[in-house]
Amino acid sequence: MAVRIDDLDRKILVELQADGGQSLDDIAKSVGSSKTPVWNRIRKMRDAGVIKHQTYLLDAEALGFEACFFVLIRTSEHDASWQQAFLKALQDRPEVQEAHRLAGDIDYILKVRVKNARAYDTFYQALISEVKVHNVTALLSMEEIKSTTSLPL
Amino acid sequence: MAVRIDDLDRKILVELQADGGQSLDDIAKSVGSSKTPVWNRIRKMRDAGVIKHQTYLLDAEALGFEACFFVLIRTSEHDASWQQAFLKALQDRPEVQEAHRLAGDIDYILKVRVKNARAYDTFYQALISEVKVHNVTALLSMEEIKSTTSLPL
DNA sequence: TATGAAAGTTTTAAATA
DNA sequence: TATTTAAAACTTTCATA
């Protein structure tokens, strides 16, 4: 799945990650090229799936999402149908911002963003009533020290 | 820090999160309003800090970032100077995409995105040589099941 | 809130290195 | 093959009704 990217492509991606609102002219100036080549490369990388999505990042606290939990899940079920049901449950819940299947004795980790602790409990009860899980540990974030979507290109 | 947002604002934010490349006209049509009010509201929310940043999300795997770790950290040090040094170490390392200070017996969780397991080891050795930590557990992601930056508005 | 005009940006196409 | 130039289509921004 790895795509070949040259130095100019990389510089363009750095600019796009850092500020997605810049004009082509600004990006071209920053990377030492001009508008059309930059535009062609962006399009190529979009078509290749290297650039997935353009978005705006919002301030969770300002919007009243004051609780963030990391949830560690162990399960005794490992068959395909359980996994599919679990996956669907996660996809269907918008408060689940991230979900990873892990190596080792913890099977899954979730990042769950909710308005408050009560909303987390509601989420948790709904989840465990939908799919059977063996053991759940919730880690409550007190402070978001760092948060970036940028890859270290 | 909570900001008051009405129903139209919320709809606009939903659109901006879902696709940050839409024109004002498209957004206006989706939310059932017209260009000028939408534009005024976006500006107001940007000024209020509700909208923080416009960016492009990239495909980590396609760019060769094939390893993602969640790192659970316990420390015996809790004084201000240690905390400041730890914070600076995290800010300085671009492979740390997220860092949270936690409630409970695990003190911190990090999300670390690297090219491979060797790169994680390099990161880990550098971190523990810079700041003293009591106990570190690394959880290796086998599969990213879900990943979104959208808040459940 | 709506209209519309000015400034700026993206996108395509043709010409050039 | 990649870049520059140029021009058309579209978008943002802002003044005015």
Side-chain angles (χ1 to χ4, degrees):
Chain A
M1 212 205 172
V3 171
R4 235 193 341 299
I5 290 291
D6 71 10
D7 217 60
L8 183 54
D9 290 326
R10 201 181 326 276
K11 284 181 189 163
I12 292 168
L13 293 176
V14 167
E15 291 300 320
L16 292 177
Q17 289 194 125
D19 178 1
Q22 291 174 90
S23 73
L24 284 177
D25 270 332
D26 289 346
I27 296 168
K29 208 176 295 168
S30 303
V31 305
S33 180
S34 61
K35 226 165 45 171
T36 313
V38 170
W39 189 77
N40 283 322
R41 280 155 182 270
I42 289 174
R43 191 171 55 163
K44 208 177 296 170
M45 290 192 283
R46 212 193 305 262
D47 293 349
V50 171
I51 296 170
K52 287 198 294 190
H53 191 61
Q54 187 177 355
T55 193
Y56 285 77
L57 303 179
L58 309 182
D59 186 320
E61 305 251 314
L63 290 161
F65 291 89
E66 296 191 339
C68 178
F69 288 85
F70 287 88
V71 184
L72 308 179
I73 295 176
R74 260 177 272 245
T75 175
S76 36
E77 315 275 321
H78 289 95
D79 60 282
S81 75
W82 179 89
Q83 204 167 325
Q84 202 169 0
F86 182 60
L87 207 139
K88 182 165 171 15
L90 300 179
Q91 295 290 3
D92 287 352
R93 286 176 204 289
E95 52 276 68
V96 178
Q97 292 197 302
E98 296 223 15
H100 292 249
R101 187 166 59 77
L102 301 174
D105 69 310
I106 297 167
D107 296 302
Y108 295 91
I109 187 168
L110 316 181
K111 181 186 173 189
V112 178
R113 183 78 82 170
V114 284
K115 298 247 172 189
N116 48 48
R118 184 171 305 161
Y120 173 73
D121 194 51
T122 306
F123 159 79
Y124 171 74
Q125 297 295 342
L127 183 69
I128 62 168
S129 78
E130 202 165 325
V131 290
K132 192 170 131 197
V133 293
H134 174 249
N135 180 278
V136 177
T137 307
L139 310 174
L140 169 60
S141 171
M142 289 283 100
E143 188 187 356
E144 190 173 277
I145 295 173
K146 182 173 184 176
S147 176
T148 178
T149 56
S150 290
L151 297 173
L153 299 165
Chain B
M1 215 204 169
V3 172
R4 235 196 338 299
I5 290 292
D6 72 10
D7 217 59
L8 183 54
D9 290 328
R10 203 182 324 278
K11 283 181 187 163
I12 293 168
L13 293 177
V14 167
E15 290 300 320
L16 292 178
Q17 288 195 125
D19 178 0
Q22 291 174 91
S23 72
L24 282 179
D25 271 331
D26 289 344
I27 296 168
K29 207 175 296 166
S30 303
V31 304
S33 180
S34 63
K35 225 166 45 168
T36 313
V38 170
W39 190 76
N40 284 323
R41 280 154 182 271
I42 290 175
R43 193 171 52 163
K44 208 178 297 171
M45 291 192 282
R46 211 195 305 265
D47 293 349
V50 171
I51 297 170
K52 287 197 297 189
H53 190 60
Q54 188 178 358
T55 193
Y56 286 76
L57 302 179
L58 310 182
D59 186 319
E61 304 251 314
L63 290 161
F65 290 88
E66 297 192 338
C68 179
F69 289 85
F70 288 88
V71 184
L72 308 178
I73 295 176
R74 263 178 269 245
T75 176
S76 34
E77 316 273 321
H78 290 96
D79 59 281
S81 75
W82 180 89
Q83 203 167 327
Q84 201 170 1
F86 183 60
L87 206 139
K88 183 166 170 13
L90 300 179
Q91 294 291 3
D92 287 353
R93 283 174 209 290
E95 50 278 67
V96 178
Q97 292 197 301
E98 296 223 14
H100 292 250
R101 185 166 61 78
L102 301 175
D105 70 309
I106 296 167
D107 296 302
Y108 296 91
I109 187 168
L110 317 181
K111 181 184 173 191
V112 179
R113 183 78 82 168
V114 284
K115 298 248 173 187
N116 48 49
R118 184 171 305 160
Y120 173 74
D121 194 52
T122 305
F123 159 79
Y124 170 75
Q125 296 295 341
L127 183 69
I128 61 168
S129 78
E130 203 165 324
V131 289
K132 193 170 133 195
V133 292
H134 174 249
N135 180 279
V136 177
T137 306
L139 309 174
L140 169 60
S141 171
M142 289 283 98
E143 189 187 354
E144 190 174 276
I145 294 173
K146 181 171 185 177
S147 175
T148 178
T149 56
S150 290
L151 297 173
L153 299 166

